[in-house]
Amino acid sequence: MTVMTYREALNQVLHTEMARAPDIFVCGEDISGGAGGTSGEREASGGIFGVTAGLLPRFGADRVIDTPISENTIVGMAAGASLAGKRGIAEIMFADFITLALDQMMNQAAKFRYMSGGKATCPLVIRVPYGAGMNMGAQHSQSMYNIVTSVPGLKTVIPTNAADAKGLLTTAIRDDDPVVFFEHKAMYGRKYEVPDGEYLIPFGQASLLCEGDDATIIAMGRMVLFAQKSVAVLKEEGIDCDLIDLRTTSPMDEDTILDSVEKTGRVIVVDECTPRCSLASDIAGFIASHGFSSLKAPVGQVTSPHAPVPFARELERAFVPNPVSIAAAVRKVVSYQ
Amino acid sequence: MRLQQSKEQLLDAYRQMKTIREFEERLHREIMTGEIAGFTHLYSGQEAVAVGVCQHLDSEDLIVSTHRGHGHCIAKGCDVIDMMAEIYGRQTGLGKGKGGSMHIADFDKGMLGANGVVGAGGPLAVGAALSAKLDGRGRVGICFAGEGSINQGAVFEAMNMAKVINAPAVFAIEINGYSEHTGASYSVGGIDIANRTAGFGLKTVETDGCDYHAVYDAMAELLDHARAGNGPCAAVFRTTRFFGHFEGDPQKYRARDEVKQHRLERDCLKTFRARVVPVCGISETELDAIDADVLALIDAAVDRARAAPATPIEEMEADVYVSYQQDQP
Ligand SMILES: Cc1ncc(C[n+]2csc(CCOP(=O)(O)OP(=O)(O)O)c2C)c(N)n1
């Protein structure tokens, strides 16, 4: 084990995988930075969140491609190259901007395999920093993973700690399908123990972070961290929870969800998305359809409200689900008669 | 060509440029205190573009701005006090603190909004120009755009669309040399932006964006063209930014003394002073008095923003729609 940040874990995987496989390339805006600058420093940033640091000096500009601001072509180019024998890792600087690339993601990359009758492979990874909490306003703070999860042909990964970031990114890069990889911006600097050496986590395998018989909390991304805090508080009140970190929302670990629901009968889904067509509503629907006989209470959903992410500190704080709102939702479900 | 401008107009142009400069210089200092949240992109260095363009416009004309929008807002007449409150995320801000620095808008002033999405303004400006065309009163829609946005497909589409529908749209393109940490010489293929815009059939002028008079003259010609119904135009301005891409940017991509040198040699305020004082009947004292006014205004804006109430939580879910009937679960 080595202690490192979420950012460092991701960076290490990119280095290791690019060294292992020469058909991997990365592309995105400012992933190195400094091109065309006047200082002569060819690597000026290593990505605005530093995740791609050091790749350019090591692997060169042919495989570490700083791009113009052209999201649709960043994804499309990576998809095209991946269709033609390479493995592209595209970075979209903020998840909000996948909207500019949705044609290439949804209509192209996601559908090649199917439309070719199983002949095409498009081993593409699209990395997207997402999420609220940094006062970046309505166009730089959205979660977006609900949209991606809904698309047949795309896989959706949302790691919540550095070890999972390592295991899941390695799997994503080696996977033969298009994968969209969500990294919460507030998590980059957090430190965790990370297994040394090669480490892969299969998709569709949730992690059960703690166990309890009273309620099931299902969460993904940064919401897992908040749920962990709620769990600690609830434990002191005598409420013991299963906490399920989904890790990948497509594919989704249905068995782990249903096993827990069968045990507790009381469920809360915590999701940073806005409520309509969210993962919370999707999972609540899944449980209602497949675990109905186990349920002792309506499935609780903790989400952001049906509004854009506000800028002002106080509003943004109130906007995102937090340990207090999660704990309140758990109490409500647990006390339901 | 150097167009004649009245003394009054020149003093106003100076006041606008100075207001933008001091607004940004002050924000640069205030942001370091940690009181202002989020992402702030400062416009210092580019003032001559915003003011040289907007001096030709009234509140009926429409502009669409970028993430680096404070200068465009001020030049188009947005209230500095209300802008500052927005940047501080207060209830009294132009967007009740819900938008922030990147989303300042004032529709009464014909300012349709800063924008967090690079290139998104292109199509919107063509829409503004379409509205102006349908009204038939000679109004125009202006798209402020950084050279980085010129690489977005949406901007290509917007230029072509403007030409196809003969919209009175003017693309005011500000080449400040960088998009975030990447130089224009790398990211703009072919580099010659004027050639690109001309390739779409836009009447194009390229000039020094650090020189108010050059900007003003270029825009006079283009706006005559657009207002007369002769179709869309592009103005390509070579300019510079005095700060990092956003506040906190260490600017490793820039030569060590680049900003210092540009502040020395390409400061639009200094150029303006040097040009108007000897020949336009304007004295140093008059300009100094404006400087003092502006500083007092910025002080007041910061003081009032600090003292302004936080936006109440009830505002969080308000203003999403004009109307929306739904029972809360
Ligand atoms: C669609 C989109 N992609 C990326 C970004 C991140 N971003 C913000 S500003 C910027 C650079 C813009 O450069 P330019 O258009 O030249 O304007 P400048 O910052 O120089 O004023 C980038 C890449 C964004 N806001 N929107």
Side-chain angles (χ1 to χ4, degrees):
Chain A
M1 291 280 183
T2 307
V3 173
M4 65 177 86
T5 62
Y6 188 87
R7 170 193 292 113
E8 286 162 352
L10 294 167
N11 180 254
Q12 190 194 67
V13 172
L14 293 174
H15 275 274
T16 312
E17 290 300 294
M18 286 191 78
R20 179 186 61 79
D23 54 353
I24 297 173
F25 68 93
V26 294
C27 60
E29 296 156 17
D30 283 321
I31 57 166
S32 149
T38 45
S39 67
E41 247 191 84
R42 184 51 186 85
E43 179 170 286
S45 63
I48 66 162
F49 299 109
V51 176
T52 44
L55 294 176
L56 179 91
R58 184 160 172 204
F59 300 107
D62 284 350
R63 291 175 65 200
V64 182
I65 307 169
D66 261 323
T67 68
I69 309 171
S70 308
E71 281 78 8
N72 202 25
T73 297
I74 293 170
V75 172
M77 176 173 81
S82 301
L83 206 53
K86 301 299 171 196
R87 286 181 177 264
I89 305 176
E91 177 180 299
I92 298 296
M93 194 181 279
F94 289 88
D96 309 68
F97 309 150
I98 66 169
T99 52
L100 284 84
L102 273 182
D103 175 56
Q104 292 296 337
M105 290 170 66
M106 286 180 70
N107 290 330
Q108 312 300 330
K111 295 179 172 53
F112 292 145
R113 181 80 181 174
Y114 186 79
M115 296 188 302
S116 68
K119 293 197 180 74
T121 48
C122 187
L124 160 73
V125 177
I126 306 169
R127 293 185 34 252
V128 295
Y130 82 97
M134 267 77 89
N135 312 102
M136 286 180 175
Q139 296 174 339
H140 285 73
S141 304
Q142 297 166 86
S143 293
M144 309 303 280
Y145 50 70
N146 55 337
I147 294 173
V148 175
T149 303
S150 77
V151 180
L154 299 179
K155 293 176 176 171
T156 312
V157 181
I158 320 175
T160 56
N161 60 62
D164 286 3
K166 175 173 179 175
L168 291 167
L169 184 57
T170 307
T171 304
I173 292 170
R174 298 187 191 182
D175 196 278
D176 283 334
D177 288 311
V179 177
V180 187
F181 197 90
F182 286 83
E183 304 162 10
H184 200 291
K185 301 192 286 284
M187 299 203 302
Y188 281 126
R190 295 178 66 96
K191 286 190 176 157
Y192 299 88
E193 294 213 316
V194 175
D196 297 321
E198 182 156 294
Y199 181 55
L200 286 97
I201 298 173
F203 290 168
Q205 226 173 70
S207 103
L208 188 58
L209 294 177
C210 63
E211 294 185 48
D213 294 338
D214 299 323
T216 301
I217 306 177
I218 301 166
M220 69 294 301
R222 188 180 185 213
M223 296 302 105
V224 172
L225 309 186
F226 290 173
Q228 280 174 314
K229 291 189 178 161
S230 321
V231 165
V233 171
L234 292 163
K235 191 166 191 63
E236 283 175 19
E237 297 170 19
I239 300 173
D240 293 324
C241 301
D242 268 4
L243 173 56
I244 298 173
D245 173 358
L246 285 177
R247 302 205 287 202
T248 67
T249 57
S250 177
M252 181 169 82
D253 186 347
E254 300 180 348
D255 290 346
T256 298
I257 294 175
L258 292 179
D259 286 350
S260 178
V261 172
E262 198 179 311
K263 179 177 73 172
T264 66
R266 300 176 191 270
V267 191
I268 299 88
V269 192
V270 190
D271 176 8
E272 188 172 326
C273 292
T274 51
R276 300 300 306 277
C277 302
S278 59
L279 282 183
S281 65
D282 177 68
I283 293 165
F286 168 76
I287 294 169
S289 300
H290 296 90
F292 184 73
S293 55
S294 313
L295 284 177
K296 298 175 194 149
V299 177
Q301 300 180 40
V302 186
T303 66
S304 297
H306 187 63
V309 183
F311 166 71
R313 278 200 175 101
E314 298 79 2
L315 294 194
E316 194 191 37
R317 215 173 283 135
F319 185 90
V320 181
N322 58 59
V324 174
S325 62
I326 296 167
V330 173
R331 286 184 204 105
K332 194 169 156 196
V333 167
V334 167
S335 60
Y336 183 89
Q337 299 289 341
Chain B
M1 182 180 70
R2 179 134 299 147
L3 294 182
Q4 209 59 44
Q5 296 175 57
S6 69
K7 178 176 172 181
E8 234 173 24
Q9 191 179 354
L10 288 170
L11 287 176
D12 184 58
Y14 180 80
R15 181 183 296 273
Q16 300 289 339
M17 289 197 290
K18 183 71 180 171
T19 306
I20 298 170
R21 173 70 52 85
E22 293 305 332
F23 191 90
E24 301 294 60
E25 301 284 329
R26 182 66 184 268
L27 271 179
H28 176 69
R29 297 202 299 277
E30 295 303 328
I31 283 164
M32 289 193 278
T33 68
E35 208 176 331
I36 295 169
F39 251 160
T40 320
H41 307 81
L42 301 180
Y43 191 72
S44 278
Q46 305 180 211
E47 297 88 346
V49 175
V51 176
V53 171
C54 291
Q55 280 289 315
H56 291 283
L57 310 179
D58 63 26
S59 59
E60 295 260 282
D61 293 314
L62 305 167
I63 70 166
V64 172
S65 169
T66 69
H67 56 286
R68 200 175 301 289
H70 304 166
H72 309 136
C73 292
I74 292 172
K76 196 67 176 55
C78 294
D79 187 284
V80 169
I81 305 266
D82 300 346
M83 280 177 63
M84 192 66 86
E86 184 62 26
I87 291 164
Y88 272 79
R90 299 298 152 97
Q91 185 177 21
T92 54
L94 274 170
K96 301 183 194 162
K98 299 192 208 186
S101 161
M102 262 192 294
H103 305 291
I104 298 179
D106 190 344
F107 296 86
D108 296 337
K109 299 281 164 42
M111 162 58 194
L112 303 194
N115 208 311
V117 181
V118 171
L124 296 172
V126 176
L130 170 61
S131 168
K133 179 187 162 187
L134 294 176
D135 286 348
R137 286 187 276 121
R139 295 187 300 143
V140 291
I142 309 278
C143 177
F144 284 102
E147 85 273 7
S149 73
I150 292 305
N151 301 318
Q152 283 284 29
V155 175
F156 280 55
E157 293 178 11
M159 289 181 178
N160 186 55
M161 185 75 80
K163 184 67 183 174
V164 167
I165 68 167
N166 198 43
V170 182
F171 293 83
I173 299 159
E174 304 182 63
I175 308 179
N176 64 11
Y178 300 97
S179 43
E180 292 218 344
H181 310 151
T182 298
S185 66
Y186 173 84
S187 65
V188 183
I191 296 185
D192 190 343
I193 290 175
N195 215 357
R196 257 193 216 183
T197 58
F200 281 109
L202 309 192
K203 180 179 169 64
T204 299
V205 176
E206 179 167 359
T207 192
D208 182 0
C210 293
D211 178 344
Y212 165 78
H213 287 87
V215 174
Y216 184 88
D217 289 0
M219 285 307 290
E221 185 188 343
L222 297 181
L223 285 165
D224 280 351
H225 180 89
R227 288 193 202 278
N230 295 323
C233 308
V236 180
F237 299 117
R238 294 177 306 271
T239 179
T240 179
R241 63 167 150 77
F242 286 169
F243 291 111
H245 169 67
F246 41 64
E247 284 305 271
D249 172 6
Q251 304 193 68
K252 282 199 281 185
Y253 50 89
R254 284 183 113 167
R256 186 174 285 278
D257 54 357
E258 178 175 292
V259 172
K260 206 167 122 195
Q261 202 175 334
H262 285 188
R263 278 195 185 262
L264 219 60
E265 294 165 5
R266 305 195 64 197
D267 183 334
C268 60
L269 287 163
K270 286 187 194 149
T271 306
F272 186 93
R273 259 188 193 251
R275 184 169 300 136
V276 301
V277 168
V279 295
C280 300
I282 293 173
S283 68
E284 294 276 2
T285 338
E286 278 172 293
L287 296 179
D288 291 346
I290 291 178
D291 289 358
D293 276 3
V294 166
L295 285 173
L297 175 66
I298 303 299
D299 279 347
V302 170
D303 290 347
R304 297 221 352 225
R306 280 217 185 99
T311 308
I313 298 298
E314 303 77 66
E315 281 290 345
M316 184 169 72
E317 293 183 66
D319 301 325
V320 182
Y321 303 90
V322 174
S323 68
Y324 195 70
Q325 305 296 313
Q326 181 172 288
D327 295 332
Q328 295 295 323

